[in-house]
Amino acid sequence: MNKTTVIGLDLAKHSFEVVVINGQGQLQQRKSLRRHTLLPFLLRQAPAVVAMEACASAHHWARRIGDQGHQVRLLPPQHVKGYLRGQKNDYNDALAIAEACVHGRVRPVPVKTLAQQDEQCLHAIRRGLNADKVRLSNQLRGLLGEYGLVVPRGDAALRRALVTHLDETATGLSPRVRTYLARQYARFVALLDELAWYDADLRQRVKQDEACIRLQAIPGIGPVVASMVRHWMGDGRQFTCGRDASAALGLVPRQHSTGGRQRLGGISKRGDPHVRSVVVHGARAVVSRASGKTDPLSCWVQQLRARRGFNKAVVALANKIIRMAWVVIARGEHYRPQGEVSSVAA
């Protein structure tokens, strides 16, 4: 890396700051470019390493720049910040990005393919719809509660209650309130229908992905978890082992050691919080249903739960799920329960 020209690029919506550092670490060029002049400028440069922060639109630009023959490095912004000197401005940001790339100690972020970004778009829309649905359902329950009408849990129960209370023959609600609730009911039903469409599309795409099919054999992984883990991890080759994958997702202990004394705390919570949350929810479902089962994984979960408690057993199982998912994705293997693996080895 120290003998290669590095181009540091600070991304923005319309204006881009560019610095060029030669193989000896000396600043060769500094330019401010508009959006439409960035690619022509890079096309005139000799093949180099183009470094950017992994921020909004970075993966789009990484694919476009990579098509021009340059090597692209996407660096995590939280690690680039340590290389920033002086006050914060676009030029200093671009220089910090270039120097972080020259240093070579910052692990780059893999460039997402177009298919991975499509999956990310699907999950972002689905997550937003689900949040809107929960927000609206809670509001409707609260409004009905003000009139003494308590609704059981679940979307189906809320729909039935609204249909019942919106009937003109029902007592307790004025015509004015029924009009308000009728409009909100129509919005609630539209959200449910929209969310159901995206769920069906997600399940259909999971059935067409061979890696997602293999992932669903792992306990705690269903279609949603399989799709999110698959698009987050990609081909898994950026990790050397399963523990690296779980550490990247923040499922390993946070360390604050000094003087040769190890101090470990809770999980680090690094990486994508949405992927981590669905994996933890999947692990929670497995731990809550492990009692009475005799397979090796369930026995391990029960013993860990008895020693360390429910929540720590859930996080430990989530860590193990990501490790197994890495083996399934990176090595192309099928999940085999522990007892089956032992019998095959024998």
Side-chain angles (χ1 to χ4, degrees):
M1 182 70 73
N2 56 356
K3 295 183 180 180
T4 306
T5 300
V6 175
I7 301 175
L9 178 58
D10 183 54
L11 297 175
K13 288 184 179 179
H14 305 292
S15 178
F16 300 86
E17 191 72 25
V18 179
V19 298
V20 181
I21 296 180
N22 63 12
Q24 288 72 40
Q26 299 172 340
L27 181 63
Q28 295 292 104
Q29 194 174 2
R30 168 188 174 182
K31 291 184 72 69
S32 293
L33 301 173
R34 302 297 293 177
R35 186 182 185 92
H36 65 279
T37 62
L38 175 62
L39 291 178
F41 168 79
L42 293 175
L43 188 61
R44 294 192 298 269
Q45 306 300 311
V49 175
V50 180
M52 300 177 287
E53 286 184 331
C55 57
S57 76
H59 294 276
H60 162 74
W61 287 112
R63 291 193 297 269
R64 297 287 301 276
I65 295 171
D67 292 339
Q68 294 185 345
H70 298 291
Q71 299 180 41
V72 180
R73 298 287 186 273
L74 296 183
L75 305 180
Q78 66 269 27
H79 298 318
V80 173
K81 188 175 179 62
Y83 292 87
L84 180 64
R85 295 193 300 274
Q87 301 187 51
K88 177 176 169 42
N89 54 55
D90 293 343
Y91 165 68
N92 285 339
D93 287 345
L95 190 59
I97 293 169
E99 291 182 349
C101 184
V102 170
H103 188 218
R105 290 287 295 171
V106 180
R107 176 182 292 179
V109 176
V111 178
K112 284 187 173 71
T113 64
L114 197 59
Q116 284 179 287
Q117 283 206 274
D118 291 346
E119 288 296 315
Q120 185 180 23
C121 178
L122 166 64
H123 288 291
I125 294 174
R126 182 180 175 276
R127 188 165 56 247
L129 287 171
N130 192 60
D132 291 342
K133 183 205 71 172
V134 172
R135 189 181 303 112
L136 182 56
S137 65
N138 288 339
Q139 182 188 46
L140 289 171
R141 290 172 186 276
L143 292 173
L144 290 173
E146 292 294 330
Y147 293 91
L149 304 173
V150 179
V151 182
R153 293 180 180 179
D155 296 333
L158 179 59
R159 291 186 65 172
R160 289 194 299 267
L162 285 171
V163 170
T164 300
H165 297 308
L166 290 176
D167 188 357
E168 294 183 358
T169 60
T171 58
L173 295 179
S174 66
R176 182 181 177 184
V177 172
R178 283 201 297 269
T179 301
Y180 297 158
L181 292 180
R183 298 182 66 87
Q184 294 304 305
Y185 171 74
R187 182 182 167 203
F188 181 65
V189 172
L191 282 173
L192 290 178
D193 293 341
E194 188 75 1
L195 189 57
W197 186 92
Y198 282 102
D199 287 342
D201 182 72
L202 185 147
R203 288 183 170 83
Q204 181 63 30
R205 295 187 179 278
V206 165
K207 291 179 181 178
Q208 298 172 357
D209 191 310
E210 196 268 338
C212 287
I213 294 173
R214 287 186 280 111
L215 281 174
Q216 291 181 82
I218 301 175
I221 294 186
V224 175
V225 181
S227 177
M228 294 189 70
V229 169
R230 177 73 170 96
H231 102 262
W232 170 77
M233 192 177 295
D235 58 9
R237 296 177 184 175
Q238 69 271 30
F239 305 117
T240 57
C241 61
R243 191 184 187 282
D244 288 349
S246 62
L249 199 56
L251 290 170
V252 297
R254 182 176 60 253
Q255 189 178 74
H256 188 77
S257 303
T258 184
R261 181 179 179 182
Q262 284 195 345
R263 296 176 61 185
L264 302 179
I267 59 174
S268 64
K269 294 186 178 180
R270 291 183 174 183
D272 193 322
H274 303 296
V275 178
R276 184 174 59 253
S277 67
V278 297
V279 173
V280 170
H281 286 324
R284 182 176 289 110
V286 175
V287 174
S288 63
R289 292 165 175 79
S291 300
K293 296 183 179 180
T294 57
D295 60 282
L297 182 63
S298 296
C299 292
W300 175 80
V301 168
Q302 294 173 50
Q303 294 171 4
L304 185 61
R305 180 178 179 178
R307 293 197 318 268
R308 306 304 300 272
F310 181 85
N311 289 334
K312 291 184 178 179
V314 168
V315 174
L317 180 59
N319 185 317
K320 186 182 287 288
I321 287 173
I322 289 297
R323 293 188 183 202
M324 293 187 291
W326 178 82
V327 174
V328 169
I329 293 175
R331 298 181 181 174
E333 298 184 11
H334 291 268
Y335 170 73
R336 292 179 294 174
Q338 185 176 347
E340 182 179 335
V341 173
S342 300
S343 63
V344 171

